Amino acid sequence: MSVEDKKNKQGPRKLLALDGGGIRGVMALEVLARIESELQQALGRKDDFVLADYFDYIAGTSTGAIIAACLSLGMRASDITKFYVDSGPAMFDKAGLIERYYRNKFHDEKLAAKLRDVIKQKTGDPDITLGSDALRTYLLLVLRNASTDSAWPISNNPDAKYNDRTLGDCNLNLPLWQLIRASTAAPTYFPPEVIKFGSGKDEYEFIFVDGGVTMYNNPAFQMFLMATVSQYKLGWPAGEDKMLIVSVGTGFAANANKNLQPDEMNIIYNASSIPSALMFAAANEQDLLCRVFGKCLNGGHLDLEVMDLIGPIGGGPVSPKLFTYMRYNAELNREELNKLGLPHIKPENVQQLDSVEYIPQLQEVGRAVAREVNSNQFLGFLN
């Protein structure tokens, strides 16, 4: 199928959102592999079935942008996992000590090369654009434009305002690998990405960084808005039986410190803790919005007050709900890892964004979360 086929199809719309989280993306891939397998069996499909055959719109931020683009290109979850396992150490190529201190923790050249390699392997051309016919679904990537100090959720929707082919700086002409690289440019981890628009005397450039430092590290609710709000030029119908949103996280760990003292909260402490606190709050808020406006079938507790909003406790200001919703994620602390049956995994080994040496343990966590996938919850959305 192509984007045009997705545009004209009948039946309910299926949307997939993928969080940012560095190498912890391999956790999400284990969940996606389980969803792929369950859907393949439920639909009676052969081994050539991919998630791009099922989902109409796929969104991703940071590492989620890599996975989203690969899925939209028609890759199986297992093949993307192999890419992460084989390329992870190279993608997280440590810079020299002086550069790490003053600028970034990792080089970006190998990450860019790996992105171009995987796109070339799938399409034959490493430089396909956002508007390429090789993309089989609607695709949303979240970036932050540091030049304009604004979030940039950018899609391949051919009807979107800035995707008009008559524009000299049409977004559809931007290289896909570069947009993905920009979405993964986590401050202090990787250098920013400079993207050029237009040509000749009309050429200009913007500096982009990781979309995870916007409100959309979890892009689920933003994707819903871009699929339904008329200004985004899709206008898909909402309703519990008309739209399914599946949201897959990469794990989270609250930076709790019960022994924290006021005089410890200096400039260095705040500089290191505030970004992660804001990212966690933003991702949690996106999840909460989806559970309030959607009918939630799966997801852990958000907090001790609202709980999980599944079933009778999932009331709110919207009735009937605007979509059906499932969330798969894990809290990476000692207590929650024990609940998943993983007492042998140390939380600190799976909490970092660059823990490439612990990829097998991250996969274990992902497989444990994947046990929550229930094919019966997808039954109303198989056509």
Side-chain angles (χ1 to χ4, degrees):
M1 296 185 74
S2 65
V3 171
E4 190 66 24
D5 294 326
K6 298 290 188 183
K7 176 181 178 179
N8 297 321
K9 60 161 282 190
Q10 302 296 312
R13 297 292 182 172
K14 285 94 70 175
L15 292 72
L16 174 64
L18 305 167
D19 289 14
I23 200 65
R24 296 202 315 253
V26 297
M27 291 172 48
L29 282 164
E30 294 296 330
V31 176
L32 292 170
R34 179 65 178 269
I35 293 174
E36 187 178 69
S37 175
E38 293 287 326
L39 288 174
Q40 181 176 324
Q41 294 182 47
L43 292 166
R45 295 289 297 273
K46 297 181 180 179
D47 289 342
D48 61 350
F49 173 78
V50 292
L51 290 176
D53 296 328
Y54 179 80
F55 287 102
D56 304 305
Y57 207 150
I58 304 178
T61 302
S62 195
T63 198
I66 299 176
I67 299 171
C70 289
L71 290 175
S72 187
L73 287 171
M75 292 180 64
R76 290 182 65 86
S78 58
D79 292 330
I80 307 173
T81 298
K82 185 177 187 303
F83 166 67
Y84 267 71
V85 172
D86 293 346
S87 305
M91 289 193 292
F92 287 89
D93 179 31
K94 285 191 176 181
L97 288 175
I98 294 178
E99 188 173 352
R100 268 185 268 171
Y101 183 82
Y102 287 105
R103 298 191 64 188
N104 307 289
K105 191 174 181 180
F106 302 102
H107 293 298
D108 65 319
E109 293 87 354
K110 290 185 179 179
L111 172 57
K114 291 295 182 182
L115 291 174
R116 296 181 78 238
D117 282 347
V118 74
I119 292 172
K120 182 179 180 179
Q121 289 173 21
K122 188 61 184 177
T123 69
D125 180 1
D127 297 313
I128 65 168
T129 64
L130 180 64
S132 171
D133 290 337
L135 292 168
R136 296 165 57 175
T137 71
Y138 284 89
L139 175 66
L140 169 63
L141 307 175
V142 181
L143 298 68
R144 178 178 177 272
N145 188 331
S147 300
T148 63
D149 195 22
S150 59
W152 263 48
I154 187 170
S155 81
N156 65 336
N157 174 11
D159 297 316
K161 181 175 181 178
Y162 296 105
N163 290 351
D164 184 344
R165 292 284 193 181
T166 65
L167 297 175
D169 55 356
C170 172
N171 286 342
L172 294 180
N173 296 329
L174 300 174
L176 180 62
W177 75 264
Q178 198 171 25
L179 293 171
I180 300 169
R181 159 72 185 96
S183 184
T184 63
T188 75
Y189 281 84
F190 293 102
E193 183 72 16
V194 178
I195 299 181
K196 294 182 179 180
F197 294 74
S199 60
K201 64 181 179 60
D202 296 321
E203 184 178 279
Y204 62 96
E205 61 186 33
F206 286 140
I207 300 172
F208 290 94
V209 295
D210 194 332
V213 292
T214 70
M215 283 293 294
Y216 316 122
N217 191 54
N218 170 357
F221 197 73
Q222 178 64 21
M223 177 175 55
F224 164 70
L225 295 176
M226 293 180 70
T228 57
V229 174
S230 60
Q231 282 82 352
Y232 292 111
K233 304 298 178 67
L234 275 183
W236 289 350
E240 290 181 18
D241 61 341
K242 295 183 174 68
M243 182 172 288
L244 170 67
I245 299 179
V246 178
S247 177
V248 184
T250 59
F252 66 97
N255 187 23
N257 183 357
K258 294 181 180 179
N259 299 316
L260 180 66
Q261 300 297 314
D263 58 2
E264 294 176 346
M265 300 183 67
N266 53 33
I267 292 176
I268 295 176
Y269 171 87
N270 287 321
S272 62
S273 63
I274 288 178
S276 61
L278 292 175
M279 289 173 65
F280 171 74
N284 204 57
E285 183 71 5
Q286 289 275 309
D287 192 8
L288 174 60
L289 288 170
C290 285
R291 299 190 199 208
V292 169
F293 287 87
K295 177 184 177 182
C296 185
L297 301 183
N298 192 83
H301 287 180
L302 290 168
D303 59 45
L304 295 176
E305 185 170 14
V306 301
M307 307 298 281
D308 58 22
L309 294 179
I310 296 175
I313 67 170
V318 179
S319 182
K321 299 290 188 176
L322 300 180
F323 50 87
T324 295
Y325 177 68
M326 304 174 202
R327 173 71 170 171
Y328 302 97
N329 204 13
E331 188 168 0
L332 304 176
N333 60 31
R334 178 72 279 150
E335 181 180 0
E336 295 303 318
L337 288 172
N338 288 346
K339 288 180 181 178
L340 290 173
L342 303 171
H344 59 287
I345 293 180
K346 295 180 179 180
E348 59 269 25
N349 291 350
V350 292
Q351 290 176 352
Q352 304 306 311
L353 303 182
D354 56 348
S355 297
V356 291
E357 65 268 39
Y358 297 110
I359 285 178
Q361 294 186 17
L362 289 165
Q363 291 179 284
E364 281 191 75
V365 178
R367 286 191 288 270
V369 176
R371 292 196 293 264
E372 299 175 14
V373 176
N374 180 353
S375 60
N376 291 329
Q377 295 177 338
F378 290 82
L379 292 181
F381 299 91
L382 293 182
N383 60 323

